[in-house]
Amino acid sequence: MATRFIICFLFLIIQAFGVAQVTYKAEHLKFSNGLPSDIVLYSTKKQGKLYIATQRGLCLYDGYRFIKSAQISSVTNALCVRKNTLYFYAAGKGLCSINTIFDKPQILSKVNYNDATPNNDHYDNIYVDHKNRVWCSDYSTIKYFTDFESHSYPIRNEDKDITLNVTFLESATGDLIIATEKGVFIWDEKQKKMEPHPNVLLAEASVSSATAIGDALYFTTFERQLMVYDSKTNRLSVKRIDQAEISPLKFVSNTTDAVLYDKNTLYLYDAKKQNTKIIFTGSDKINHVYYDEALGLFWISTSHGLVKLSKIGNEIVSLKIPDSKTVVSIVQDAQRRIWCVTKTNTLYCLSKEKKISAWLSPRPGTSFEQVFLKNGQVFATANDGLYRLEAGGLKLKISAEIPFKKAMIDNHNLLWVIPLKGAIKVYDAVSFKEKSNHIANTASFWNDNTFNDIATAPDGRVWLASWMPKDYGISYFDEQTHLFVQINGLTQFKNNPKFVTDYYNRIAFISRNNIAFSGYGGWNIVSPAGRIIKSLNTDLYKVANDHIEGITEDSRGNIWFACAEGLNQYNFKTNKVVRVSAIDGLESNDLTYGFFATENNKLLLGNNGGLQLLDLNQITKTQLINQLELTAILKDGVNINAKNNEAELDYDFTELNILFSSLSFSEKEKIIYRYQFKGEGKWNYLGSNPKLSLIKPSPGSYDIVIQAGDNLGNWQPKLLEVHLKINPPFYYTPWFIALVFLLLFSLVLLVNRYLIRQEKIKGFLKRKIKDVEMQTLRSQMNPHFLFNSLNSINSFIIQQRSIEASGYLTTFSKLMRNILENSRQDAISLEKELETLKMYLELESVRLEHQFDYEIICDKSLDAENVRIPPLIIQPFAENAIWHGLHNKKDKGHLKIILSEKDDGILSIRIMDDGIGRKASSMLKKEQVSHKSYGIEITVDRLVLLNPKNSLTIIDLTDGHSNATGTEVELQIYYHD
């Protein structure tokens, strides 16, 4: 039996292969991702964007999309950037340059396929020196071009099958070095010619590639030799690089270390150890490698796509164990050894030397739940009791029928154990004998609640995290009463509203002796006295999952807590929660298992088959480089020129797409974008897609501000500001609207003038008709008046009253002459009107044998000579007063006419008689019929036609007994002086 136990105490040593050794990770970009071709020949960066030369043209890559050059679709190669200008070779065109991917290429030297020499067909190995001379090579010559001249220098005989291997570089001393397969040359600026390098070995070396690192020049030869030349000391060292590959080595430029590549492999050369380390290897042929110094990326151009090679940081380190099960409990001891268990019968230990040891339980059916440390000893709880690691292996110290979930040893050397169900048990940690009466809580306390974690605070108090359906789940052990006391019962603290749950899972001790409790729905921080001082609710802080397990505090005072959907950091300064997930390198988002905070501000998390070590100082650092650039503005899919991020366009499109990038070339899911219209003050989130689409935007000016951030809540300070001006259609422009208003106004004016003119014509015609009627009336002058006047003259003649007849006839003739003269005019003076009226009244008075007398009173303020009124306005009313009022009166009557100026420009004419009145006159029907007055009606119409304000008022005059005493007619005529 003892032998069986010894065999079970198996001790395993597993070497360092259990620790992940991945240094770089590769991302493959191909035609299916948007490349013009899978055959990639060259790449380089300009203004943060990657320019890529392929077999089917040139394109730009901003980390999200490939934008192809519409002008260049043939083979391109040999890219070189100088002063923001990209130089390159394009088949069928020649040596070209552009400033942006949308430019039409400027041809510096055109290819010539029609001559005998092939040297005009190619422009390879392009380099631009500090004097802006463009150097390149072809099949057999070295040449350079400027704006004014070009020169070529033969290196070998023409060979149409093999291109010339040439590298141009400038040394620390300022010399232009030209390394070729025919030796290394130095450009003589004074003689304008290439001279062999003074070092004989270099002058005769068949160089395949070269680079400058510091003061040293590095050369590789076709014999796979590495030659290092110190340009200051003129010392040369030579070493052969022994690799299985026989293809020539080439250098990667822009690196601070010597990085080389051959047909399929990328190497890092260690100058101190003088050996090489493989960084990357693949099956596809490597055509070129570009190193992005700012981001630490290698861009590998291959015959089957572009490879982005990025170094994996040390913020997350994966540690593997030989077990596929989930690590459920982790601790680290003073020697920085990591101890962990899965739900198997094995206890694992990972030393700081990256060696893994494993111990098996003496019982095959054991399933470990927890590992914990006390006084340098390792303990483990299991489904069958408590184990301790001793010299001979794992020893079962307490056997149990009910599985032990959690255990800990307090400052009094008491072992506290939480079984799967039932009451908490207390043992002596030396003898492992149970202290059955140590806890005095009643049976209902154990039966009603579920206990999840127990821990001893630095001050020695024992704390308990529980699920208490009828209460809250935070308790501490009172050593005086030997009872677990629930802190919700501490009424002085008023804790009840501050609890986030009644189901607490784990306990952690943080700064200021405070205690953190995690649970379903959030966490609480409790003071040593039991007062809740901080609460975090997962709903309020939008935490991805409310199942919170592991919790701790980092060196900066931030709270880290794990849930079923990742790791979260709460920052007290910002009052925000940041989430770390699988996007950031976690093996799994479900972190409800092993969790342990180390003393050096690192965090250990358990997962399937291993652990991950997180550096809390590094994990939340952003990968953003504070760069945000505009890639393109597309109007219905067509690029528009946007100089200085400004664009003006006409309103003749459906969709406007603004493309941009943070140019960090990191994982796309980690970068998020937001925008706002300047002055709006509200951010609109775009997620991880750096594209802003405006569908049929209204005409006007738009100032758009765009910002990039990461999934950890870091927002870079640099903003991208885009200014758009969308011109309205011509019918919305101010000049067109003004023109329309002007036309409408002109039209209204013309119509109004036409209507007014028509009204004037109508009025004129009406006045003409009335004037004709009046003229006719005046020409007739009342047949009775004429007949009676002539009878009166005849009577005077018969009675031989020649003097009266002569005077009457004279007055009659003057009246007729005035009427005829006045009838030709539209208006006459008031003086002339009164003169005519007096003659008429005089004749009527004589003819009626002075049956009435009359008087005309004209206000002295009236300028009768200059006031003009229509002719024969008063006469019809005077005639009416005589024939209908005074003629039928038994005694002598009186006619009174008063003229005055009522207001400025208003003439008042009052015609008053003391006749029989209108009522009595209307009774004399016969008289009414024979003397029907058309003159009154025509005169009133004339007055209204002349001015609608002109008015007529008739007043019946009576005495105190309502008896008629006459009639008064008042005319109000608006006149112009």
Side-chain angles (χ1 to χ4, degrees):
M1 191 73 174
T3 306
R4 289 178 57 193
F5 282 132
I6 293 171
I7 295 172
C8 290
F9 297 154
L10 180 62
F11 180 78
L12 300 175
I13 298 293
I14 303 168
Q15 297 299 323
F17 67 83
V19 181
Q21 296 294 320
V22 178
T23 306
Y24 289 87
K25 62 179 178 179
E27 179 185 354
H28 294 262
L29 302 169
K30 299 183 179 181
F31 176 77
S32 58
N33 301 113
L35 272 170
S37 170
D38 275 342
I39 301 178
V40 181
L41 303 173
Y42 214 97
S43 68
T44 191
K45 282 185 76 175
K46 185 174 84 72
Q47 291 184 314
K49 303 179 183 75
L50 189 71
Y51 282 76
I52 306 165
T54 75
Q55 192 178 31
R56 297 180 61 185
L58 184 68
C59 73
L60 174 149
Y61 182 56
D62 65 358
Y64 293 90
R65 80 270 303 168
F66 293 91
I67 296 179
K68 305 171 188 176
S69 169
Q71 308 288 339
I72 307 161
S73 57
S74 59
V75 174
T76 54
N77 204 343
L79 309 182
C80 181
V81 176
R82 183 77 176 185
K83 294 181 179 179
N84 202 32
T85 299
L86 179 70
Y87 299 87
F88 59 94
Y89 163 71
K93 295 183 183 294
L95 179 61
C96 306
S97 69
I98 59 171
N99 289 319
T100 74
I101 194 67
F102 305 105
D103 291 348
K104 181 179 179 180
Q106 300 295 316
I107 300 177
L108 281 69
S109 180
K110 191 174 183 180
V111 295
N112 185 358
Y113 298 123
N114 298 320
D115 58 2
T117 175
N119 290 328
N120 295 325
D121 301 346
H122 274 267
Y123 299 86
D124 300 321
N125 306 305
I126 298 171
Y127 178 80
V128 183
D129 66 16
H130 68 280
K131 292 191 174 183
N132 220 38
R133 289 176 295 205
V134 183
W135 294 82
C136 61
S137 64
D138 47 43
Y139 286 107
S140 61
T141 63
I142 305 294
K143 48 193 174 183
Y144 74 81
F145 299 89
T146 69
D147 294 336
F148 312 103
E149 61 179 346
S150 62
H151 292 278
S152 61
Y153 305 91
I155 294 295
R156 68 177 185 188
N157 295 328
E158 291 183 2
D159 189 338
K160 295 183 180 181
D161 298 322
I162 302 175
T163 58
L164 190 63
N165 270 284
V166 177
T167 302
F168 300 93
L169 57 93
E170 291 178 82
S171 67
T173 57
D175 294 325
L176 177 65
I177 308 297
I178 305 169
T180 77
E181 61 192 61
K182 296 298 182 180
V184 178
F185 298 86
I186 297 179
W187 174 252
D188 188 333
E189 191 65 46
K190 293 181 180 179
Q191 300 295 326
K192 298 294 183 185
K193 65 178 182 178
M194 295 166 47
E195 295 286 354
H197 196 282
N199 186 288
V200 178
L201 291 177
L202 288 178
E204 296 178 352
S206 180
V207 177
S208 59
S209 180
T211 191
I213 302 175
D215 295 332
L217 299 177
Y218 286 73
F219 302 90
T220 58
T221 68
F222 282 89
E223 294 79 21
R224 295 181 71 85
Q225 288 180 323
L226 177 64
M227 309 176 77
V228 182
Y229 177 75
D230 190 323
S231 55
K232 288 188 175 181
T233 62
N234 296 323
R235 295 181 60 182
L236 178 70
S237 63
V238 181
K239 175 178 173 54
R240 177 169 177 80
I241 299 176
D242 294 319
Q243 297 289 346
E245 179 61 49
I246 60 172
S247 61
L249 287 164
K250 292 187 177 182
F251 277 108
V252 178
S253 59
N254 299 330
T255 59
T256 54
D257 297 317
V259 182
L260 309 99
Y261 67 95
D262 55 25
K263 183 178 179 181
N264 303 106
T265 308
L266 186 66
Y267 307 92
L268 174 64
Y269 177 73
D270 189 330
K272 292 182 179 180
K273 296 180 180 180
Q274 293 191 351
N275 61 11
T276 57
K277 175 186 176 183
I278 295 176
I279 297 175
F280 168 83
T281 187
S283 58
D284 300 317
K285 179 188 175 184
I286 298 176
N287 297 316
H288 177 260
V289 178
Y290 172 77
Y291 179 67
D292 185 344
E293 188 176 4
L295 299 177
L297 302 175
F298 289 97
W299 295 96
I300 305 174
S301 302
T302 76
S303 59
H304 201 155
L306 181 69
V307 178
K308 182 184 80 173
L309 200 64
S310 57
K311 192 174 183 179
I312 297 176
N314 60 359
E315 62 269 12
I316 299 180
V317 177
S318 294
L319 308 171
K320 299 298 180 182
I321 61 172
D323 193 330
S324 60
K325 299 292 182 68
T326 302
V327 174
V328 295
S329 181
I330 315 164
V331 291
Q332 187 179 49
D333 62 20
Q335 289 77 38
R336 295 191 177 181
R337 293 176 298 183
I338 299 171
W339 300 85
C340 63
V341 294
T342 61
K343 286 200 172 186
T344 62
N345 65 338
T346 307
L347 170 67
Y348 297 96
C349 176
L350 177 65
S351 69
K352 61 181 181 180
E353 291 83 16
K354 301 297 186 295
K355 292 184 178 181
I356 295 179
S357 306
W359 290 266
L360 295 177
S361 164
R363 296 184 176 184
T366 298
S367 174
F368 287 118
E369 292 284 340
Q370 177 208 14
V371 58
F372 67 96
L373 305 171
K374 185 64 176 179
N375 299 326
Q377 293 183 309
V378 181
F379 296 86
T381 62
N383 61 335
D384 55 358
L386 177 76
Y387 288 84
R388 184 172 69 183
L389 183 62
E390 299 179 355
L394 286 169
K395 295 280 188 178
L396 180 64
K397 307 307 292 185
I398 301 174
S399 179
E401 296 181 2
I402 299 175
F404 285 177
K405 287 168 57 177
K406 292 283 180 74
M408 67 91 185
I409 299 175
D410 68 8
N411 295 347
H412 303 295
N413 222 20
L414 295 177
L415 173 67
W416 300 70
V417 177
I418 299 178
L420 185 61
K421 60 182 179 179
I424 294 175
K425 297 180 181 296
V426 180
Y427 298 86
D428 183 283
V430 177
S431 64
F432 297 103
K433 291 183 178 181
E434 184 177 0
K435 293 179 154 306
S436 56
N437 297 321
H438 191 72
I439 306 174
N441 289 83
T442 62
S444 61
F445 180 80
W446 309 117
N447 296 332
D448 295 343
N449 305 314
T450 301
F451 308 102
N452 298 316
D453 198 10
I454 191 166
T456 302
D459 62 1
R461 175 170 280 183
V462 175
W463 289 88
L464 185 64
S466 317
W467 175 30
M468 295 184 173
K470 299 178 181 180
D471 224 320
Y472 297 99
I474 300 177
S475 311
Y476 68 89
F477 186 72
D478 188 329
E479 293 187 354
Q480 293 182 351
T481 62
H482 284 253
L483 292 172
F484 276 103
V485 177
Q486 300 171 56
I487 66 170
N488 55 291
L490 305 176
T491 56
Q492 70 272 26
F493 296 137
K494 299 179 181 179
N495 284 329
N496 288 16
K498 303 174 186 177
F499 287 98
V500 295
T501 183
D502 61 1
Y503 199 125
Y504 290 92
N505 295 314
R506 299 196 194 183
I507 304 170
F509 299 105
I510 59 176
S511 60
R512 299 179 182 177
N513 293 325
N514 292 325
I515 310 100
F517 290 84
S518 68
Y520 283 91
W523 48 260
N524 289 114
I525 295 177
V526 179
S527 72
R531 181 172 63 89
I532 296 178
I533 57 178
K534 176 64 181 177
S535 303
L536 184 138
N537 186 292
T538 54
D539 289 336
L540 294 179
Y541 285 85
K542 300 187 183 335
V543 178
N545 189 276
D546 63 357
H547 180 189
I548 311 299
E549 287 285 345
I551 187 167
T552 190
E553 181 185 49
D554 65 19
S555 59
R556 299 174 184 174
N558 303 310
I559 300 296
W560 292 81
F561 56 100
C563 69
E565 287 292 338
L567 180 67
N568 301 272
Q569 179 211 57
Y570 173 75
N571 188 312
F572 280 92
K573 293 181 180 179
T574 63
N575 193 31
K576 290 183 179 179
V577 172
V578 171
R579 178 172 176 251
V580 179
S581 66
I583 296 174
D584 304 291
L586 295 180
E587 292 283 350
S588 170
N589 282 335
D590 188 356
L591 303 180
T592 56
Y593 302 103
F595 183 99
F596 184 80
T598 69
E599 291 182 356
N600 55 349
N601 214 36
K602 293 185 178 180
L603 189 64
L604 286 163
L605 299 175
N607 55 56
N608 290 339
L611 309 92
Q612 284 190 295
L613 181 64
L614 279 63
D615 188 336
L616 299 183
N617 293 324
Q618 300 291 328
I619 191 68
T620 53
K621 284 189 177 180
T622 184
Q623 295 186 19
L624 296 170
I625 57 174
N626 198 30
Q627 193 169 5
L628 184 59
E629 299 293 338
L630 181 69
T631 300
I633 299 178
L634 304 180
K635 184 178 76 171
D636 288 337
V638 179
N639 178 72
I640 61 173
N641 184 31
K643 189 176 181 180
N644 298 324
N645 298 339
E646 297 180 359
E648 183 175 355
L649 55 157
D650 293 329
Y651 187 78
D652 58 353
F653 61 91
T654 301
E655 183 178 16
L656 192 71
N657 288 317
I658 304 173
L659 309 180
F660 43 89
S661 172
S662 65
L663 300 177
S664 63
F665 294 93
S666 59
E667 291 86 346
K668 300 177 182 65
E669 298 83 1
K670 289 187 177 183
I671 312 299
I672 55 178
Y673 298 89
R674 62 185 183 182
Y675 76 96
Q676 65 173 241
F677 294 100
K678 204 168 186 179
E680 188 180 60
K682 177 185 176 183
W683 287 105
N684 306 288
Y685 288 82
L686 297 168
S688 297
N689 186 16
K691 172 183 173 182
L692 173 59
S693 297
L694 302 176
I695 308 298
K696 293 194 75 65
S698 301
S701 296
Y702 296 87
D703 293 327
I704 303 171
V705 180
I706 303 169
Q707 190 177 29
D710 60 22
N711 61 309
L712 301 174
N714 302 302
W715 293 97
Q716 65 179 22
K718 182 178 181 181
L719 303 174
L720 172 63
E721 296 189 13
V722 180
H723 308 282
L724 299 177
K725 183 180 180 182
I726 302 176
N727 297 321
F730 73 94
Y731 46 82
Y732 280 161
T733 54
W735 65 265
F736 182 82
I737 294 172
L739 180 61
V740 169
F741 274 110
L742 183 61
L743 290 174
L744 288 174
F745 178 76
S746 301
L747 182 62
V748 170
L749 187 61
L750 289 173
V751 170
N752 187 55
R753 289 185 63 183
Y754 172 78
L755 294 175
I756 291 173
R757 187 176 179 185
Q758 289 299 107
E759 288 299 321
K760 285 183 178 180
I761 292 172
K762 281 182 180 181
F764 176 74
L765 292 175
K766 285 182 180 181
R767 286 196 300 273
K768 278 292 184 184
I769 292 170
K770 294 298 178 183
D771 287 343
V772 170
E773 290 176 348
M774 195 64 184
Q775 288 174 11
T776 303
L777 181 65
R778 290 198 294 261
S779 65
Q780 294 176 355
M781 266 307 292
N782 194 324
H784 288 280
F785 170 72
L786 294 175
F787 179 74
N788 291 334
S789 296
L790 292 174
N791 278 340
S792 297
I793 294 170
N794 184 50
S795 175
F796 288 146
I797 294 171
I798 293 173
Q799 296 175 14
Q800 295 184 352
R801 296 166 60 186
S802 57
I803 296 174
E804 289 87 341
S806 176
Y808 195 95
L809 183 60
T810 300
T811 303
F812 181 76
S813 65
K814 287 182 180 179
L815 176 62
M816 291 298 105
R817 186 174 67 248
N818 279 358
I819 291 172
L820 290 173
E821 287 178 356
N822 294 343
S823 64
R824 296 190 185 96
Q825 301 181 51
D826 293 333
I828 61 173
S829 66
L830 179 59
E831 182 181 32
K832 196 126 186 173
E833 174 73 6
L834 293 178
E835 180 185 345
T836 304
L837 179 62
K838 287 178 182 178
M839 287 189 281
Y840 169 74
L841 292 175
E842 183 64 32
L843 290 176
E844 287 285 57
S845 176
V846 172
R847 188 173 64 81
L848 294 176
E849 297 178 348
H850 300 286
Q851 188 179 350
F852 70 93
D853 57 13
Y854 66 89
E855 64 175 324
I856 299 174
I857 302 171
C858 184
D859 193 339
K860 292 182 180 180
S861 63
L862 269 175
D863 187 359
E865 184 179 352
N866 292 318
V867 174
R868 299 181 65 80
I869 62 174
L872 283 179
I873 285 295
I874 307 173
Q875 183 273 332
F877 298 99
E879 177 186 354
N880 195 63
I882 294 169
W883 286 99
H884 295 283
L886 299 174
H887 179 60
N888 297 311
K889 188 177 180 182
K890 294 179 180 180
D891 51 358
K892 189 175 182 176
H894 182 72
L895 178 64
K896 189 176 184 180
I897 300 173
I898 302 173
L899 296 96
S900 63
E901 188 172 25
K902 193 170 186 180
D903 285 312
D904 188 24
I906 303 175
L907 177 63
S908 174
I909 304 173
R910 296 168 62 199
I911 303 154
M912 297 178 288
D913 66 76
D914 58 355
I916 63 173
R918 287 194 299 169
K919 186 176 181 181
S921 177
S922 65
M923 298 299 292
L924 301 173
K925 294 182 180 179
K926 184 178 179 179
E927 186 70 18
Q928 187 178 16
V929 172
S930 60
H931 280 280
K932 185 175 182 181
S933 177
Y934 293 101
I936 293 288
E937 183 180 345
I938 294 171
T939 301
V940 172
D941 289 344
R942 285 177 67 211
L943 286 172
V944 174
L945 282 172
L946 288 169
N947 193 329
K949 295 180 181 179
N950 293 338
S951 63
L952 167 69
T953 305
I954 300 174
I955 302 170
D956 293 318
L957 302 175
T958 59
D959 59 14
H961 302 288
S962 299
N963 297 319
T965 60
T967 305
E968 179 182 345
V969 175
E970 183 179 3
L971 297 174
Q972 287 192 13
I973 302 172
Y974 287 76
Y975 68 90
H976 299 284
D977 291 343

